[in-house]
């Protein structure tokens, strides 16, 4: 908090500022204009705002009249449902028929284009330069930014880089004709006597399509390669380069790029970086940066902004279970800005400051702090976004003289993201501009010290709402275990460390675990690293039928007591196992990376999913363990309750070696069954880890038994065993159907009809609609199809692309694919590693060859040198529903591309295979999304996102038809399949006397 | 309402009455005594009251010290948990160890016995006579009642009758020595100069063990037979006979018995009947009775009581869905009493009046009305219960002189029911005595005109609480369809009428129903009445594989549109079908009576269950049809929803020919599947009725197809068909397992793994604990074992009796069985009819022969003459778990009796078979009931009631192990088996912008 003296001066200055611009309004709030009306309507109507902003987003892709009018109707309904200002045009032509629609389309198009032009300084370099010149004549300097954040390929990154180089050439050409903006003294060839006329901002992530904090070093190096080229040209034209900061995910990469570039040219002063005051990290980052600059004796320049991705950051953190990286109360960000501005100003000798804010309080505070600290004028300037807050920029110009406009230019498609962010800012409840100019809040409120405001607001909301949600059984409510957060240096460092630690333990022999004891057998089988075949991770004792019998005997013996154990207590064991897994999370990830070749994030996600299953099923069982009263008839008590079935055989796959094993076993155990667990022969060591977790949790002997062994002999033996009442299986369709068939035969001595919980394969499609956002669709398809080498039952193996967008999609997809590299996943630079084993590799290679005959190979990736089971990434176009690679599960990195005439055909094709597991749609057509909800009949359908990575509770996982029997792992119905329901009815009336309960229906 | 003048006089007299007994208390409220303390504690503590009253009920059966102390601990916990007054005795000996327990047992025993003695005038005739003499010396006349309401056999009824004859002899012997109670004038040999000294009350239902309004005429005749013998002796000793009125169920039978007896001896004046003011019927009954008396020129005597079975009547009506027959506000009963008393007094010339009430307001009102109407003293008297309300009886004696005490006598076991009713009366919130003497309510309140009180109370509670429960989808909440109510003359009359009507339509030909059209085939098969083999009900067209193919084709074609039909609309069809069934309920019952030989009530219950399935599943689907949002992560919407599987084969049994067919078909249909329905070959006509109901409901063509045909060929064909995705089957284990096995094979072209919903057989046991209430257990076992000839999968086929009670139970069971008759169920006098067909009859006969070799035949019923498929009712003792008739399902009227050492063994035996469907326990040991809840592992366990007749919603039905696959028909999980779950996940964030919902977790 400022001294009260300083604060008083700030408020005074702010008041003067308001007075100086009295009566003026930013054009966005001018209700005389279409955009002003639109903003006004959006502020008042959340539903309309969502539709309008989404429409603005999709607008550039509506390239035909039909698409345009169709979407208008889908987003806004017919004329009668639209706000009056929108329908004006259409009303002339009556209802939204073909004619009215066309008129409305034209009106909307011209208005949206006009709105875009307001924020974007030009669509071409020439246009931009022309407009910049005009701005200079009004006294404003500029920092020029090329629109676009995401590049999906090397080609796109290169093209983006080249645009900058071209821009710099053009600006350099102009520069000769431009005079420096006036200021007393200094170099007349510079603005205000000290600032380069050429000033650009570059988003580093646009320079490398695979930027990813998981591969921190690789990302920094790749970005730096192109940034260096831009910076060289900037230096050549004596310009200023600011490295922009966008999403939090890339913050540390961006800082590192800045630092390295800075050190490469320590003598050239005009290099800056943007920091975001809304990040909780920024105080520390700023201190570190200044300390670093001092240590290296270099000058830095910082553009401080509030930050424009608040929604995105909170959503992303919320979805991944991470701490929200931004301040959640707006005034906290404002206060942070003032605090950090002061730090920068205090260090003005080594740090040039660009204050980028439209907030008059903020601006006033910076001015007063600069005065108090005697900061020379050439050490700080003010920046305002082009097209926004016109009264503010005018006011600053009047007082400070030094205003630079942040001026983006470029094509409209990437520009729409920028446009939506601006609209969001201006319509947000807490927006300073909205409050100042659209709502006319009291000036005292607007100018209050934000530190004071923040404190008040935080106090008022001191009870977080979710604390009110009470958990069942005394457990806190279920939350998904957070994903690995590679923005954290400790998470990044933990993987190599864990890998090294695990490597120190290679070659051990792993016993069975039966009836609470380790059992060695003579029959050993090695488990190896598929990316490094000579690396034997361990020797696994193999169970024979004798050991399986022993395990079943132990399970049968343990069953009665386990069944009768209180459900809360049973749940407690799961929570203990979860705690154990949490404590070993990096180690368990490392084993998976080595045993089955998962990428870091994928391996970690497998462990978090295992933890989720434990935590979720524990709570589910507490919920289901409470007998439910049925009916309200007096004189009777009906209780509905569930009982376990007996001995469960859990037969697990290798692709989610911990998660799926844990899920099936935990469900069986917590419901009161006893488990004989057969891990996959490819991941017995992960299976052994599960046994250790349950042992650590203290499960009674016999409740969980670990018996790895050959599927060929052991699978049938387990399934046929008369003492097995329950089989939980995840794996291929062939094996699944075999289990279902065998389990249906009742053997002598068998007490129960066997229940089979069976998740099988998929042949999953993603549909790319003609209005899809390819910036999202292309990387998501790539990840869904090739993540973990496509070895997920949920993986995308078909992409069905609407004709109109097919070529553009295919081109960008292949280009992005080409950017990826393959190799052992322990190196995070590798997008793809080896597949599971030689058999799989051969099968996949066969399908690739088949694909080449059925369709046309679009892309076949390189296969790394080395001893792993490598297969190429393959994308095959021209596939039709009748082709085998459109029907059969490949379980590898092979993607079939299918060109569909229209959305109906796409849905039909998507549903065509016998499988019905996952599916996806990228579309911005509300009608098509609705149609997909109804008609795209798969177990897990994803709209506008990738189709892998289902989370426990939020996306219960599993399919129907030949993909499974309609159980849904991680969902509220799942545990029911492991139990039989019972009803106990008590007649409570004796001698005509029945106690009455509150729930009884009836009289009095 | 009375005139205000009269009411003022009533209040005045009441006040005088209170004054006259000021300071006195009924002994029940005397806190100086054990019973007074107990009553006081019961009033203050509902939980204690329940335990104490239940303990009083079980007390006489605790015949050993071990039983007694065990139960004390189970009912009241250990000494520290007991109310101080109870534990006093035990405290001397410390904790409830063996010694303390014994002490406490002794204390309790003597106190309960003393309490009983307070209400019961003696345990033997001699003791009763002695005490009556003592009462007379205090100025009180008496009406003597022999304890016991339920008799379970002819022997017991005979013995009960003989007790009365013996009593009359004894009283007659005394009579000579007794002087008439003093009164001015009249016959000195009569009490008060006009009343017989010998006065008895008889409960008619105790005179016939199978009394049942369904067999109205049979019940009246049987009761009259014995009542006549008693009345002859009453007349012989110049005594008075009052026919008592107990539960509402027998009210009309009782009235009829009275009327007939009255007309048989029109000249003998001293015959009375009790009426209950709390019955809503009584105003009308009273008017009818008086009109009848006038019409026949006979005198009547009426004892008007308030009624003592309020709890029982409300519970029974609530459980059966009937209108509650009693006034639900206490003051309504009080007002009715005054109203009816006035009617009787106005008719004093033909009607003698006994006013039986402890309520001073009531008594005062009767006195004042009698005075106003100039009723002579010899036309009315006052009655008070022996042992209660001592101040009241004293007060009346003072004012009116004529007080008769209702004095029961007899054994303690039947006396406990009487005792509990008295305790209930005195501890009820609304009890006049409790309010007057235990709570000292204001006299004005106590004396308020009850008509005024009632009006006020009714207004205050004008909104019935259940109206607040909102239904889903706009439907009112589910309620079970009411049972047939044979207390209603219209219900009784409807059956013969419907039977005659149905008989008028015999011999028609019934077509198939495929794709919305009737299809005739050349292959006809008759369906016949198993009780009258020559009676052909109709000719049923048989489907061949061609027709089945047609039906499947129709179902496949109808599926997509049906699947996409709004769930509410689908639910609506079910409700329409329910409405149609409701409109034809007696007709549908009549068809069943003829086609498969159900008793009236059983047939009707089958139709109500069918209606319940329709109504319940309709609502369930509306509930499940609403997509559920999962998780609270921002920026994503996860919806969980369900989809149908496709074509369902519904293969139905004959034993619940409408209900089970309807249930399975309705579940399949409402979830969006299309049905091919194969009824049992024994009940194809009922199946046809179902087709008609669905046609009437307007189901689209192809959604429901009716294809009766031979199981041998058609069953497998349907099950194997690749287009069938779902098989719902109810029937034998053999067929069920065959279906499960066949359905597990995936055939070429098959799209789904077939789901089998399968309910199979049972081998159900009822355990009779050594403290069981045999008055309840014996008839419930009989009904569970032999109702509908034992042809229910839920039927009791084993009764496991604890050694200590075995002989008594077996004797009473056999005696009751002997009282039953067999013959065509269209005659309601027949307890049992023919079994389904010759094959069944032969199988059952075989098991009876087997049973005779495995155990000892206890009873084999007579087989009626005639052409039906009759088998005898059989009870076989000495059966052990290893015997075949203890393990194999017989599906007929054969009951194995097993003698178990203790409760643990009983539970073990009960669980021994491969089946686990239903089971029951009769016990009054809280610990054993709890143990049964935990360890008696069947799908439907019933405590202290019969084990058949599960109701939709309240007792979802179905078992596990070899009884079924854990689906539960009529329960909340059932519909899930007919559907596959789907999850649709939408990423709602676009361009960093995600709409926020209220349910989102997270920031701000």
């Amino acid at each position: 908090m400022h001294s009260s003296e300083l604060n008083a001066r700030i408020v005074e200055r702010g008041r003067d500022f308001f007075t100086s611009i009295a009566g003026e309004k930013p054009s966005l709030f001018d209700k005389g204009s279409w955009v002003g009306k639109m903003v006004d309507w959006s502020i008042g109507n959340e539903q309309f705002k969502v539709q309008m902003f989404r429409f603005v987003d999709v607008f550039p892709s509506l390239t035909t009249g039909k698409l345009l009018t169709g979407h208008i109707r889908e987003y806004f309904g017919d004329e009668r449902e639209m706000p009056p200002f929108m329908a004006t045009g259409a009303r002339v032509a009556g209802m939204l028929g073909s004619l009215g629609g066309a008129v409305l389309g034209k009106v909307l198009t011209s208005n949206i284009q006009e709105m875009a032009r307001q924020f974007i300084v030009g669509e071409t370099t020439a246009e931009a330069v022309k407009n910049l010149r005009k701005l200079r004549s009004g006294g404003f300097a500029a920092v020029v930014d090329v629109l676009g954040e995401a590049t999906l390929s090397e080609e796109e990154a290169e093209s983006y880089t080249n645009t900058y180089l071209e821009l710099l050439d053009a600006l350099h050409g102009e520069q000769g004709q431009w005079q420096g903006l006036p200021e007393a003294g200094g170099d007349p060839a510079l603005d205000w006597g000290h600032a380069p006329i050429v000033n650009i901002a570059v988003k580093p992530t646009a320079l490398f399509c695979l930027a990813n904090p998981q591969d921190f070093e690789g990302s920094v190096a790749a970005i730096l390669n192109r940034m260096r080229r831009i910076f060289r040209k900037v230096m050549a034209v004596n310009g200023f380069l600011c490295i922009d900061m966008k999403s939090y995910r890339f913050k540390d990469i961006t800082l590192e790029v800045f630092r390295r570039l800075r050190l490469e040219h320590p003598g050239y002063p005009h290099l800056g970086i943007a920091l975001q005051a809304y990040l909780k990290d920024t105080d520390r980052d700023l201190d570190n940066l200044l300390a670093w600059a001092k240590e290296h004796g270099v000058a830095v320049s910082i553009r401080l902004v509030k930050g424009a991705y608040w929604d995105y950051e909170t959503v992303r953190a919320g979805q991944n279970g991470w701490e929200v990286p931004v301040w959640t109360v707006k005034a906290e960000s404002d206060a942070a800005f003032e605090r950090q501005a002061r730090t920068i100003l205090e260090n003005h000798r080594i740090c040039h400051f660009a204050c980028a804010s439209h907030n008059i309080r903020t601006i006033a505070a910076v001015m007063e702090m600069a005065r108090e600290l005697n900061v020379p004028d050439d050490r700080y300037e003010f920046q305002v976004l082009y097209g926004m807050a016109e009264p503010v920029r005018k006011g600053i110009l009047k007082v400070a003289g030094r205003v630079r406009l942040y001026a983006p230019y470029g094509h409209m498609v990437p520009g729409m993201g920028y446009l939506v962010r601006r609209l969001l800012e201006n319509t947000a409840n807490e927006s300073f501009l909205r409050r100042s100019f659209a709502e006319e809040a009291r000036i005292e409120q607007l100018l209050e010290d934000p530190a004071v405001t923040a404190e008040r607001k935080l106090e008022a909301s001191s009870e977080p709402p979710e604390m009110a949600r009470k958990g069942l059984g005394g457990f806190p409510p279920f939350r998904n275990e957070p994903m690995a957060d590679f923005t954290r240096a400790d998470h990044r460092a933990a993987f190599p460390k864990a890998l090294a630690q695990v490597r120190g333990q290679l070659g051990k022999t792993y016993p069975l675990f039966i009836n609470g004891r380790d059992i060695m057998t003579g029959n050993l089988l090695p488990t190896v690293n598929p990316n490094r075949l000579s690396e034997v991770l361990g020797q696994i004792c193999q169970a024979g039928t004798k050991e399986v019998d022993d395990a079943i005997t132990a399970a049968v013996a343990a069953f009665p007591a386990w069944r009768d154990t209180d459900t809360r207590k049973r749940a407690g064991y799961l929570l203990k196992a979860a705690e154990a897994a949490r404590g070993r999370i990096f180690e368990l990830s490392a084993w998976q990376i080595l045993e089955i070749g998962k990428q870091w994030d994928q391996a970690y996600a497998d462990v978090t999913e295992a933890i989720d299953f434990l935590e979720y099923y524990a709570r589910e069982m507490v919920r289901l363990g409470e007998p439910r009263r049925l009916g309200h008839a007096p004189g009777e008590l009906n209780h509905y309750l569930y009982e376990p079935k007996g001995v469960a055989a859990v037969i697990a796959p290798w692709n989610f070696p911990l998660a799926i094993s844990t899920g099936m076993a935990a469900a069986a155990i917590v419901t009161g069954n006893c488990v004989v667990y057969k891990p996959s022969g490819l991941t017995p060591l992960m299976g052994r880890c599960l046994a250790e977790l349950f042992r650590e949790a203290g499960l009674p002997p016999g409740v969980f038994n670990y018996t790895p062994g050959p599927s060929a002999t052991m699978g049938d033996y387990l399934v046929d065993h008369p003492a097995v009442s329950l089989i939980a299986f995840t794996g291929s369709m062939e094996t699944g159907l075999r289990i279902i068939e065998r389990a249906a035969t009742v053997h002598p001595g068998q007490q129960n009809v066997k229940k089979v919980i069976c998740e099988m394969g998929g042949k999953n499609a993603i549909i790319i609609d003609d209005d899809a956002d390819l910036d999202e669709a292309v990387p998501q398809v790539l990840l869904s199809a090739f993540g973990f080498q496509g070895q997920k039952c949920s993986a995308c193996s078909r992409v069905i692309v609407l004709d109109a967008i097919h070529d553009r999609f295919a081109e960008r997809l292949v280009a992005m694919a080409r950017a990826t590299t393959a190799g052992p996943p322990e190196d995070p630079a590798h997008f793809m590693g080896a597949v599971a084993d030689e058999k799989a590799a051969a099968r996949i290679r066969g399908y690739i060859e088949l694909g080449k005959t059925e369709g046309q190979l679009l892309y076949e990736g390189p296969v790394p040198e080395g001893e792993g089971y490598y297969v190429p990434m393959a994308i095959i176009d021209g596939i039709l529903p009748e082709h085998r690679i459109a029907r059969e599960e490949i379980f590898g990195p092979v993607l079939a591309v299918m060109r569909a005439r229209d959305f109906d055909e796409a849905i039909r094709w998507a549903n065509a295979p016998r499988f019905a597991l996952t599916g996806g749609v990228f579309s911005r057509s509300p009608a098509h999304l609705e149609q997909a909800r109804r008609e795209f009949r798969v177990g897990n359908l994803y709209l506008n996102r990738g189709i892998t990575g289902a989370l426990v509770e939020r996306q219960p996982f599993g399919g129907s038809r030949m993909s499974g029997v309609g159980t849904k792992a991680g969902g509220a119905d799942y545990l029911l399949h492991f139990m039989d329901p019972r009803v106990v009815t008590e007649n409570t009336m004796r001698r005509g006397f029945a106690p009455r309960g509150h729930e009884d229906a009836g009289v009095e």
Side-chain angles (χ1 to χ4, degrees), chain A residues 1-157:
Chain A
M1 238 169 274
H2 304 285
S3 70
S4 61
E5 197 186 343
L6 175 60
N7 193 56
R9 283 203 304 275
I10 293 170
V11 171
E12 180 61 30
R13 180 180 284 275
R15 201 172 274 127
D16 290 349
F17 199 117
F18 271 112
T19 309
S20 77
I21 59 170
E24 301 197 38
K25 260 206 175 176
S27 49
L28 272 183
F29 299 113
D30 169 13
K31 289 187 204 167
S33 70
W34 185 91
V35 62
K37 282 182 185 127
M38 188 275 278
V39 165
D40 182 49
W41 204 270
S42 296
I43 286 173
N45 182 330
E46 185 68 21
Q47 185 55 31
F48 172 79
K49 172 174 158 178
V50 170
Q51 292 303 93
M52 177 52 87
F53 290 12
R54 287 184 164 188
F55 184 81
V56 166
D57 165 48
V58 73
F59 170 74
S61 69
L62 306 177
T63 47
T64 69
K66 195 166 155 239
L67 266 176
L68 180 63
T69 51
H71 277 65
I72 292 171
R73 191 191 315 254
E74 293 176 21
Y75 276 79
F76 303 106
D78 77 17
E79 189 197 337
R80 285 161 305 185
E81 300 165 74
M82 289 178 192
F85 79 93
M86 274 189 72
T88 319
R91 211 154 265 163
V92 182
M95 289 282 293
L96 255 187
S98 55
L99 193 58
V103 173
L104 189 60
K106 274 193 188 150
V107 172
L108 256 179
T109 297
S110 74
N111 281 313
I112 290 177
Q113 282 171 343
E114 189 187 311
M115 175 166 68
R117 271 193 297 275
Q118 183 168 345
F119 291 110
I120 297 171
V121 81
E123 284 206 74
T124 62
T125 308
E127 201 185 337
V129 167
K130 197 182 91 191
N131 283 326
L132 290 171
R133 195 186 305 139
K134 216 183 292 173
L135 287 175
R136 291 186 68 79
S137 69
F140 295 103
V143 46
V144 188
D145 161 70
V146 177
L147 284 167
E149 282 166 49
T151 50
L152 301 186
S153 61
E154 284 293 285
E155 290 83 343
E156 291 181 19

Side-chain angles (χ1 to χ4, degrees), chain A residues 512 514 521 523 540-549 551-552 649-652 676-681 705-721 724 727 735 738-739 742:
Chain A
L512 316 181
I514 295 173
T521 64
N523 187 2
I540 309 295
C541 290
Q542 300 291 293
T545 54
K546 188 218 166 273
E547 287 78 17
V548 172
D549 280 340
I552 289 177
V650 172
I651 302 176
V676 178
Y677 163 59
K678 190 193 104 44
S680 161
N705 303 280
Y706 160 75
T707 56
S711 295
T713 53
M714 255 190 61
D716 286 351
Y717 189 79
L718 256 177
V719 168
D720 295 347
H721 201 292
V724 167
I727 299 140
T735 310
R738 181 187 175 87
I739 289 174
R742 293 192 78 100

Side-chain angles (χ1 to χ4, degrees), chain A residues 699-946:
Chain A
L699 269 190
V703 172
F704 177 83
N705 303 280
Y706 160 75
T707 56
S711 295
T713 53
M714 255 190 61
D716 286 351
Y717 189 79
L718 256 177
V719 168
D720 295 347
H721 201 292
V724 167
S725 297
L726 182 65
I727 299 140
F729 167 79
T730 304
S732 71
M733 179 182 77
E734 290 69 25
T735 310
L737 294 182
R738 181 187 175 87
I739 289 174
I740 287 171
E741 192 163 339
R742 293 192 78 100
T745 301
V746 173
H747 296 275
Q750 186 175 325
Q751 292 290 320
N752 292 291
V753 175
K754 289 180 189 184
K755 170 88 183 186
V756 182
I757 292 147
C758 185
E759 296 289 340
M760 305 184 286
K763 186 69 196 176
N764 314 303
I766 295 180
I767 295 174
I768 310 294
D769 199 0
D770 53 9
D771 67 349
D773 183 349
L774 294 186
D775 288 353
E776 299 269 339
V778 168
Q780 292 295 334
V781 167
L782 199 77
L783 195 66
S784 298
F786 304 117
F788 187 38
Q789 296 77 261
Q791 299 172 116
K792 305 180 185 180
C793 41
S794 59
C796 173
S797 70
R798 297 179 294 149
V799 60
I800 303 172
V801 192
L802 263 66
D803 180 57
I805 206 170
H806 171 277
D807 296 351
R808 228 171 340 134
F809 170 81
E811 186 192 339
R812 294 188 78 187
L813 180 71
V814 169
M816 188 167 194
R818 195 173 289 123
T820 65
T821 59
E826 61 188 280
D827 177 351
H830 293 143
F831 183 84
M832 250 184 55
V835 297
D837 63 1
E838 181 48 42
K839 213 173 102 200
R843 188 189 62 238
I844 295 162
R845 282 190 214 104
Y847 273 109
I848 295 175
E849 292 316 306
L850 175 67
K852 288 176 187 169
T853 67
E854 291 188 328
Q856 300 84 47
L857 186 73
L858 273 186
Y859 178 67
E860 183 169 353
V863 169
E865 300 297 309
E867 46 170 355
Y869 300 121
Y870 293 108
V871 298
M873 174 190 287
I875 304 176
I876 296 160
D877 198 5
I879 295 302
L880 293 169
E882 56 270 29
H883 288 143
R884 277 182 58 204
I885 70 161
R887 293 186 288 119
E888 297 172 13
E889 187 175 40
I890 299 171
F891 222 69
V894 182
L895 177 65
V897 182
M898 308 172 75
R899 183 195 292 258
R901 199 181 327 122
D902 54 25
F903 199 75
D904 285 338
E905 183 169 80
I907 292 262
R908 216 160 42 241
W909 288 4
N911 283 327
R914 300 171 80 191
F915 299 98
L917 190 48
T918 70
V921 175
F922 280 88
S923 172
R924 286 178 287 189
S925 154
H928 283 175
L929 291 175
E930 193 46 44
Q931 184 182 355
R933 275 180 188 274
R934 275 196 322 271
E935 299 179 7
F936 194 162
R937 295 198 162 76
V938 288
N940 287 74
L941 176 67
Y942 298 92
L943 306 179
N944 289 317
R945 51 156 279 181

Side-chain angles (χ1 to χ4, degrees), chain A residues 256 289 293 310 371 419 502 598 600 609 695 865 920:
Chain A
E256 184 62 19
L289 188 64
W310 190 91
R371 193 161 76 175
L419 184 54
V502 157
K598 288 215 164 188
W600 289 8
E609 188 177 355
R695 169 144 66 179
E865 300 297 309

Side-chain angles (χ1 to χ4, degrees), chain A residues 175-376:
Chain A
Q175 199 168 198
Q177 304 154 40
W178 292 354
Q179 290 238 318
L181 290 170
E183 170 78 345
D187 187 337
L190 296 173
D191 282 340
W192 316 313
H194 65 269
I197 292 177
V198 174
N199 187 321
I200 63 168
V202 178
K203 288 172 284 288
T205 50
L207 303 182
F208 178 46
C209 69
L210 296 176
N212 181 348
Q214 182 170 331
D215 179 22
F216 192 87
E217 184 52 39
S219 300
V220 168
I223 290 167
L224 205 51
N225 271 341
R226 293 205 170 88
M227 190 66 87
R228 205 176 270 133
R229 284 160 57 200
I230 295 172
F231 190 42
R232 282 204 204 99
K233 180 147 254 175
V234 166
M235 290 188 291
V237 304
N238 195 28
F240 189 100
L241 169 65
C242 181
I243 297 180
D244 258 359
M245 188 69 85
K246 298 289 161 178
S247 77
Y248 179 67
R249 186 160 183 242
F250 300 110
K251 186 200 62 164
D252 285 354
I253 290 176
T254 304
L255 279 164
E256 184 62 19
V257 166
F258 171 78
R259 280 191 296 261
R260 294 208 195 161
L261 199 61
R262 180 70 291 181
L263 288 186
E264 288 179 7
H265 302 279
Y268 188 81
H270 302 307
L271 178 65
I273 185 166
L275 294 182
Q276 297 158 319
Y278 72 177
L279 289 182
K280 294 172 182 169
D281 283 359
T282 297
D283 287 301
R284 199 189 55 214
D285 286 341
L286 176 60
D287 288 346
N288 289 346
L289 188 64
L290 293 169
W292 170 88
K294 283 173 196 158
E295 183 192 335
H296 290 87
V298 290
V300 296
S301 172
I302 292 175
R303 172 164 79 233
L304 190 63
V305 302
K306 297 273 168 79
Y309 298 78
W310 190 91
D311 275 53
Y312 173 83
E313 300 297 359
T314 52
V315 165
R316 193 154 182 279
Q319 289 190 354
N320 289 287
W322 299 329
E323 197 203 342
V324 175
V326 293
W327 299 113
T328 53
V329 170
K330 174 71 163 68
E332 290 183 287
S333 297
D334 292 339
F337 192 105
E338 294 189 14
R339 190 166 66 235
Q340 290 149 9
R342 179 172 201 102
T343 303
I344 296 170
L345 291 169
E346 285 168 350
N347 287 277
H348 62 81
R349 255 168 271 276
I350 56 155
C351 185
H352 172 263
F353 179 37
C355 166
S357 170
H358 304 138
N359 183 319
I360 292 170
R361 156 77 204 193
T362 304
I363 293 160
V366 167
M367 286 177 174
E368 286 303 324
M369 288 190 289
R371 193 161 76 175
E372 185 183 81
L373 297 165
N374 294 315
V375 181

